[in-house]
């Protein structure tokens, strides 16, 4: 007894025909053992038979479009192992014997309920978001809750759209939406962003190091990349490594793009004023750096002078070069 | 100074704060339709008529033309002071040509409509004056203005009748009557306070006494005031003319060098004068800051305590400005000294929130620098200083978080714009945010001045 399987483009079985004999014919005509509704398949296209050694063989019966192996080479006949894929017309086929050994059943995951964890995460994230708004709510005491709810609603909608997208992909390719695990990944990502942002701002203040804040976009991009990888992993995508590499390239590209826009320490940067100044202030007790003495500070400030002079000289040289170029063109 | 004026609109707005310099940079868009009533009785000021009659032939309109377009880019006035064709005007009238002679050219138009080229002979950016030479002096006889000896020696009395001439708004030469009101008080720069209607385009025109002798050179009028106008004292013009007679024509490189040297000298004198005048202590909450004794600082205070219904932090600001900005180019000025302090005290903010309030206050103190093509980019240094009372330092000096930034002038070596913002780090619920802005200073002067400024910052808190 053999089974003739028609496969989808994703190589999943969509139809199985059971044949009691070891020979069978396949084609569009109704006198075949397996009838294929593919206009590119001949009326009698293919025969399956067993050779002297007992191997199943697929044979082209002289069709116009022929028989192809998995690599896309046309064949007159092909031996069929249980996993051999063949194509006639636009239809993928697989032939298996009843003795084909299937893999052991997958164990059901232990019944774990994800949603309590999800709720905990949700509460934590909302808490972080409210805390951030509260810390910045320093001007007038706001009477309305809209100041707090507005941003929450906005980012909530964005998160819902993000999770929805991944759940949709998961539903299409995996058959399960897995919305809650996806939502948990997204929430973890958001929390990580909150925390790293806060820590970076604090480090920038306490260590008096503007590089930390100037390059904070790197952390944001990397975190976004990690979140995407987690989503991909959840969806058990094929070629995970290739896709991970793609995410890596995207993160790198994002960083590069922001850097080009930003160029925090590039010599031709127009002004430090809006960048270099540390982005956040913290209470004095949060400071770790030992203050400099007045003398040390003045020394550091004086070191700006040669830098500015060099900068001035370079700008003037560039200008005169440009003027010479212009004169040369004329 | 008008109270409503925003503190930051003047950083690099018109030179001399809210003064409007009287060169016209663009043609007026609309002229008043009413060009005079028909049958008004003829009442003449005999003196004015006589003076204008005498002076007319010595008046010039000075135009700066954009070479590529052959159209005027700015206009002002001037007057002849020697028989061989030397004329005086404002530096700001000729500044475009002085700095970029390859882009602009200078032209005069006499009262008789004769046009000709001008050459630059001497400039004085401190007093906003320039001496130019007419390439072809007008056919004699023409008026050569003399200086009023009393004015040169500063012996005029308030109330003296003065007559100011020029070509306002390119409408034609006019004469305006006004009154001498002495030198402007509380000003580092010597300016004659002239009560009379000076209008854009009259810059560089002469203001004379009844004997048609020069008392001053029209330079600016105060926006939002009535008839409050300013003249450069005759003495400065007299001195520059003496220098110009010996000088020959200047090219752009010499102009830049000259401006750089004049600014260097000026700022050295200014900081020396500031030091001589001394400082006194002022209080802002528990903080003590230094305020200059010099009366040329105009200081303003400001609080939010009367404004906001539900205060989360009280803010009291005090800011002082010398209004000594000198015009260098239409997009560049120097000589400003502005100091400010904001005392913030939390009402119901916690320490973290209060810190965020502080960074906003500190950010609002950063100047919005003007054009970039005349300066290098800023370079800043930020750090914490002091609070080392335990280590033998002055216990009254609070720890500070300081950002110190500078940029260099491309055209003038040794000149820098500098700003510093400091935030005190001695208390979780109150702090002083202070800022200094200095433009057109030598680096060492800026370092010394800001260091003194920090040293004067003290805190005096009663121990609970």
């Amino acid at each position: 007894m053999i089974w003739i399987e028609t496969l989808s483009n994703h190589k999943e079985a969509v139809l199985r025909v059971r044949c009691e004999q070891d020979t069978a014919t396949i084609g569009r005509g109704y006198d075949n053992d397996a009838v294929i509704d593919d206009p590119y398949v001949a009326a009698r296209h293919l025969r399956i038979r067993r050779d002297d050694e007992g191997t199943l063989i697929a044979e082209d019966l002289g069709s116009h479009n022929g028989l192809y192996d998995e690599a896309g080479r046309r064949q007159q006949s092909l031996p069929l192992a249980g996993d051999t894929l063949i194509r006639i017309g636009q239809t993928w086929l697989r032939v298996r014997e009843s003795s084909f050994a299937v893999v052991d059943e997958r164990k059901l995951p232990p019944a774990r309920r994800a949603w309590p964890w999800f709720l905990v995460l949700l509460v934590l994230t909302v808490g972080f978001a409210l805390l951030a708004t509260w810390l910045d709510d320093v001007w007038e005491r706001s009477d309305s809750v809209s100041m707090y709810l507005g941003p929450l609603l906005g980012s909530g909608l964005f998160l819902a759209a993000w999770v929805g997208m991944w759940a949709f992909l998961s539903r299409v390719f995996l058959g399960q939406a897995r919305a809650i695990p996806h939502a948990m990944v997204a929430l973890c990502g958001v929390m990580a962003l909150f925390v790293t942002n806060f820590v970076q701002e604090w480090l920038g203040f306490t260590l008096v190091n503007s590089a930390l804040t100037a390059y904070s976009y790197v952390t944001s991009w990397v975190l976004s990349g990690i979140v995407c990888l987690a989503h991909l992993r959840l969806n058990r995508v094929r070629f995970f490594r290739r896709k991970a590499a793609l995410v890596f390239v995207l993160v790198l590209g994002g960083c590069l793009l922001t850097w080009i826009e930003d160029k925090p320490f590039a010599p031709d940067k127009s002004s430090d004023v809006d960048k270099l100044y540390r982005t956040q202030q913290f209470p004095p007790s949060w400071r770790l750096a030992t203050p400099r003495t007045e003398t040390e500070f003045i020394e550091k400030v004086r070191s700006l002078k040669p830098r500015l002079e060099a900068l001035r000289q370079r700008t003037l040289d560039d200008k005169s070069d440009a003027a010479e170029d212009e004169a040369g063109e004329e | 100074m008008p109270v409503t004026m925003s503190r930051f609109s003047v950083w690099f707005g018109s030179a001399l704060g809210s003064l409007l310099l009287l060169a016209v940079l663009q043609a007026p868009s609309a002229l008043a339709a009413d060009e005079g009533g028909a049958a008004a009785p003829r009442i003449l000021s005999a003196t004015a008529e006589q003076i204008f009659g005498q002076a007319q032939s010595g008046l010039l309109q000075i135009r700066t033309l954009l070479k590529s377009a052959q159209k005027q880019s700015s206009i002002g006035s001037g007057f002849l002071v020697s028989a061989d064709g030397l004329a005086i005007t404002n530096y700001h009238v000729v500044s475009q040509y002085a700095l970029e002679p390859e882009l602009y050219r200078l032209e005069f138009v006499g009262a008789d409509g004769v046009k000709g080229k001008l050459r630059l002979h001497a400039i004085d950016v401190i007093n906003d004056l320039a001496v130019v030479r007419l390439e072809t002096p007008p056919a004699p006889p023409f008026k050569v203005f003399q200086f009023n000896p009393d004015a040169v020696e500063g012996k005029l009395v308030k109330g003296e009748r003065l007559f100011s001439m020029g070509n306002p708004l390119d409408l034609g030469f006019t004469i305006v009557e006004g009154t001498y009101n002495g030198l402007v008080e509380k000003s580092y720069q010597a300016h004659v306070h002239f009560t009379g209607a000076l209008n854009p385009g009259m810059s560089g025109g002469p203001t004379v006494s009844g004997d048609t002798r020069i008392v001053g050179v029209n330079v600016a009028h105060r926006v939002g005031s009535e008839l409050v106008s300013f003249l450069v004292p005759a003495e400065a013009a007299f001195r520059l003319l003496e220098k110009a007679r010996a000088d020959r024509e200047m090219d752009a490189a010499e102009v830049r060098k000259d401006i750089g040297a004049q600014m260097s000298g000026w700022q050295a004198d200014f900081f020396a004068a500031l030091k001589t005048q001394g400082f006194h202590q002022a209080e802002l909450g528990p903080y003590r800051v230094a305020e200059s004794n010099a009366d040329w600082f105009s200081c303003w205070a400001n609080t939010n305590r009367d404004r906001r219904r539900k205060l989360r932090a009280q803010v009291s600001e005090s800011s002082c400005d010398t209004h000594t900005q000198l015009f260098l180019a239409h997009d560049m000025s120097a000589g400003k000294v502005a100091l400010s302090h904001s005392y913030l005290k939390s009402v119901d903010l916690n320490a973290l929130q209060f810190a965020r309030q502080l960074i906003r206050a500190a950010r609002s103190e950063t100047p919005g620098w003007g054009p970039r093509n005349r300066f290098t980019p800023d370079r800043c240094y930020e750090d914490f200083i002091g609070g080392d009372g335990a280590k033998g330092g002055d216990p009254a000096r609070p720890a500070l978080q300081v950002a110190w930034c500078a940029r260099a002038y491309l055209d003038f070596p040794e000149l820098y714009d500098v700003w510093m913002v400091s935030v005190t780090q001695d208390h979780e619920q109150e702090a002083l945010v202070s800022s200094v802005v200095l433009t057109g200073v030598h680096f060492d002067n800026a370092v010394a001045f800001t260091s003194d400024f920090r040293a004067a910052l003290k805190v005096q808190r009663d121990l609970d």
Side-chain angles (χ1 to χ4, degrees):
Chain A
M1 187 179 68
I2 58 170
W3 286 87
I4 300 170
E5 297 176 327
T6 312
L7 307 179
S8 72
N9 281 338
H10 289 101
K11 315 295 180 304
E12 282 149 352
V14 286
L15 187 75
R16 285 194 181 93
V17 178
R18 171 182 167 133
C19 297
E20 297 298 338
Q21 293 91 23
D22 279 354
T23 51
T25 57
I26 300 170
R28 200 155 34 84
Y30 285 89
D31 54 348
N32 291 296
D33 295 295
V35 183
I36 309 283
D37 287 333
D38 177 347
Y40 297 93
V41 167
R44 280 176 75 78
H45 200 124
L46 201 67
R47 183 168 60 193
I48 310 291
R49 64 175 177 83
R50 205 181 278 282
D51 70 359
D52 303 341
E53 286 156 23
T55 317
L56 284 173
I57 304 283
E59 259 178 9
D60 188 353
L61 292 175
S63 69
H64 188 75
N65 286 335
L67 161 70
Y68 289 86
D69 66 8
E70 204 178 351
R73 285 180 300 254
R74 189 168 177 157
Q75 306 283 357
Q76 183 50 45
S77 67
L78 265 174
L80 298 170
D83 284 325
T84 313
L85 297 180
I86 56 175
R87 180 167 65 81
I88 55 171
Q90 291 187 335
T91 306
W92 286 97
L93 296 173
R94 186 165 61 196
V95 179
R96 279 178 176 172
E97 297 187 60
S98 54
S99 59
F100 181 80
V102 295
V103 294
D104 286 345
E105 77 271 31
R106 210 178 266 169
K107 279 187 195 125
L108 271 176
R112 234 186 1 198
R113 283 205 268 182
W115 64 267
W117 288 109
F118 166 71
L119 277 185
V120 168
L121 263 178
L122 185 69
V123 168
L124 270 175
T125 318
V126 169
F128 268 113
L130 290 176
L131 192 71
T133 319
W134 177 70
L135 282 179
D136 273 330
D137 177 19
V138 293
W139 287 115
E140 268 177 271
R141 215 164 301 152
S142 56
D143 293 328
S144 68
V145 287
S146 67
M147 177 176 169
Y148 288 86
L149 286 188
L152 211 58
L153 203 67
S155 33
L157 282 175
F158 171 79
L159 268 182
W162 174 261
V163 169
M165 182 192 81
W166 285 105
F168 176 75
L169 290 176
S170 177
R171 179 79 181 78
V172 167
F173 292 110
L174 230 65
Q176 284 176 297
R178 315 194 68 188
I180 287 190
H182 276 300
M184 285 169 72
V185 166
L187 288 178
C188 283
V190 169
M191 271 212 309
L193 269 177
F194 271 127
V195 172
T196 48
N197 187 30
F198 188 84
V199 169
Q200 262 173 340
E201 281 178 345
W202 172 67
L203 287 175
F205 162 83
T206 198
L207 303 178
V208 206
N209 191 335
S210 54
L212 282 167
T213 46
Y215 290 116
S216 63
Y217 59 84
V218 174
T219 334
S220 309
W221 277 110
V222 167
L223 275 177
S224 314
I226 291 175
V227 166
C228 285
L229 285 183
H231 282 301
L232 286 174
R233 194 92 236 190
L234 257 184
N235 277 2
R236 292 201 217 110
V237 291
R238 297 185 308 142
F239 311 120
F240 179 75
R241 278 175 184 216
R242 273 189 240 173
K243 284 174 184 166
L246 183 73
V247 168
F248 180 73
V249 167
L250 281 176
V251 165
L252 220 61
C255 287
L256 200 69
L257 210 72
T258 322
W259 179 76
I260 289 170
E261 251 172 42
D262 234 41
K263 283 202 204 151
F265 298 113
D268 60 335
K269 189 171 174 298
S270 52
S271 172
D272 286 341
V273 172
D274 46 352
K275 281 280 179 220
L276 191 64
Y277 204 64
R278 61 181 70 78
T279 52
Q280 201 52 271
Q281 187 96 18
F282 287 84
S285 53
W286 289 49
R287 185 191 71 217
L288 295 180
T290 322
R292 298 195 179 269
T293 64
E294 182 73 25
T295 331
E296 284 168 342
F297 184 84
I298 288 177
E299 214 166 277
K300 289 282 185 184
V301 158
R302 278 190 200 284
S303 71
L304 292 177
K305 191 180 178 188
R307 280 174 64 198
L308 282 167
E309 266 168 7
L311 209 56
R312 173 172 181 272
Q313 204 46 54
R314 196 160 59 222
T315 317
L316 287 179
D317 291 348
D318 287 353
K319 264 191 180 175
S320 64
D321 283 355
E324 269 170 31
D325 288 351
E326 219 170 79
E329 277 164 26
E330 281 166 10
Chain B
M1 174 173 155
V3 189
T4 51
M5 202 175 71
S6 144
R7 266 177 42 216
F8 295 102
S9 65
V10 297
W11 287 127
F12 291 97
S14 68
L16 304 174
S18 57
L19 298 187
L20 178 68
L21 294 174
L22 296 173
V24 179
L25 273 172
Q26 272 147 12
S29 54
L31 298 175
D34 184 14
E35 297 270 339
R42 271 170 61 87
I43 303 170
L44 285 175
S45 159
T47 331
E49 187 191 21
Q50 201 186 349
I51 287 174
F52 190 71
Q54 281 179 25
Q56 204 173 5
S57 60
L59 295 179
L60 302 172
Q61 184 188 36
I62 293 178
R63 301 161 177 267
T64 305
L65 290 95
L66 187 61
K67 271 185 184 170
S68 56
Q70 291 299 324
K71 301 238 162 43
Q72 63 201 28
S73 160
S74 81
I75 53 171
S77 301
F79 53 98
L80 285 157
V81 282
S82 81
D84 57 348
L86 283 179
I88 288 180
T89 182
N90 286 137
Y91 164 72
H92 77 258
V93 170
V94 299
S95 66
Q96 282 172 304
Y97 168 77
L99 293 170
E100 320 276 352
E102 63 280 11
L103 291 183
Y104 298 96
R105 66 187 181 82
L106 272 187
E107 185 186 88
F108 72 88
V109 186
D112 51 0
V114 173
K115 289 183 183 178
K117 276 191 177 174
L118 286 174
R119 287 179 177 156
L120 189 60
H121 269 244
I123 53 169
D124 176 356
V125 287
I126 311 304
N127 291 299
D128 197 353
L129 287 173
V131 174
V132 289
R133 185 186 287 280
L134 280 61
E135 216 168 52
T136 44
F142 58 85
K143 169 75 180 172
V144 171
F145 285 91
Q146 304 294 320
F147 287 91
N148 182 319
D150 287 344
V152 172
E153 284 162 34
K155 285 197 285 191
L156 284 187
V157 285
K158 272 194 188 182
E160 174 145 356
R161 185 134 292 259
L162 301 181
F163 301 87
S164 181
M165 286 165 283
N167 189 338
L169 306 169
D170 206 12
L171 300 174
F173 287 102
T174 56
I175 182 159
V176 175
E177 285 195 46
T179 336
Y180 176 83
N181 270 307
L183 291 180
V184 176
E185 288 174 14
K186 296 179 185 170
S187 166
Y188 180 72
Q189 299 288 108
H191 271 138
V192 172
H193 182 172
F194 171 67
T195 308
L198 291 190
N199 279 296
M202 292 177 79
S203 260
T207 294
V208 297
S209 45
D211 53 3
T212 334
R213 292 210 247 193
I214 302 294
V215 169
V217 180
N218 305 340
V219 67
H221 79 97
R222 169 116 349 139
V223 178
S225 68
E226 302 289 338
L227 298 184
V228 176
S229 300
F230 302 102
L231 311 174
V232 180
E235 185 215 351
F238 180 74
R239 267 190 284 118
L240 187 66
L241 182 61
E242 289 309 308
K243 181 172 168 261
R245 283 192 212 279
D247 273 359
R248 39 182 189 82
E249 193 181 344
M250 298 173 85
D251 62 20
E254 282 174 299
V255 167
R256 278 161 216 251
K257 215 176 135 195
D258 207 8
I259 294 177
Q262 289 179 18
M263 275 307 303
S264 292
W266 182 88
Q267 59 91 39
D269 292 347
F270 180 81
F271 283 103
L274 212 54
K275 205 155 203 171
T276 317
Q277 294 278 336
F279 290 83
H280 60 265
Q281 213 175 43
E283 285 184 24
L284 274 160
Y287 297 100
R288 305 286 177 269
V289 299
E291 270 181 12
S292 172
N293 293 332
D295 63 357
W296 61 77
F297 270 98
S298 91
C299 294
W300 297 86
N302 192 348
T303 178
N304 71 350
R305 294 170 70 170
D306 52 351
R307 263 185 272 150
R308 288 172 189 267
R309 209 155 39 91
K310 291 179 173 176
L311 274 183
R312 309 209 63 193
Q314 293 175 0
V315 184
S316 305
E317 292 177 286
S318 102
S319 58
C320 293
D321 194 324
T322 52
H323 298 297
T324 41
Q325 254 165 302
L326 301 170
F327 179 99
L328 297 185
H330 65 94
D331 55 357
M332 171 170 57
S333 58
K336 174 192 187 66
V337 176
L339 315 172
S340 88
H341 299 279
S342 291
Y343 166 59
L344 289 91
K345 184 175 167 54
S346 163
V347 175
D348 67 352
L349 294 174
N350 60 42
L352 261 175
Q353 288 177 316
F354 183 68
R356 281 167 195 244
Q357 177 81 285
L358 285 180
I359 191 124
R360 290 177 194 216
R363 283 227 189 90
S364 76
E365 298 291 340
T366 57
W369 287 140
R372 294 161 174 175
N373 57 336
R374 296 191 181 278
F375 302 93
T376 64
D378 294 49
R379 283 294 171 262
C380 299
Y381 179 70
E382 304 179 77
D383 215 333
F384 296 97
I385 313 183
D388 49 359
K391 286 186 269 168
D394 183 349
R397 278 183 71 173
L400 294 175
Q401 184 192 35
V402 183
W404 201 101
C405 298
R407 62 175 186 180
Y409 285 66
L410 292 179
D411 291 329
F412 317 114
E414 298 298 323
L415 288 187
Y416 295 84
D417 283 353
V418 169
W419 64 274
M420 178 185 86
V421 175
S422 71
V423 181
T424 56
Q425 295 282 305
D426 64 312
H427 200 279
E428 310 262 310
Q429 301 283 334
E430 58 183 357
L432 190 71
V433 178
S434 309
S435 81
V436 177
V437 176
L438 308 170
T439 65
V441 287
H442 278 197
F443 201 89
D444 293 341
N445 275 337
V447 171
F449 185 83
T450 49
S451 171
D452 289 348
F453 181 86
R454 289 192 299 270
L457 258 169
K458 301 268 170 67
V459 62
Q460 228 167 57
R461 207 173 264 119
D462 297 329
L463 297 171
D464 322 290

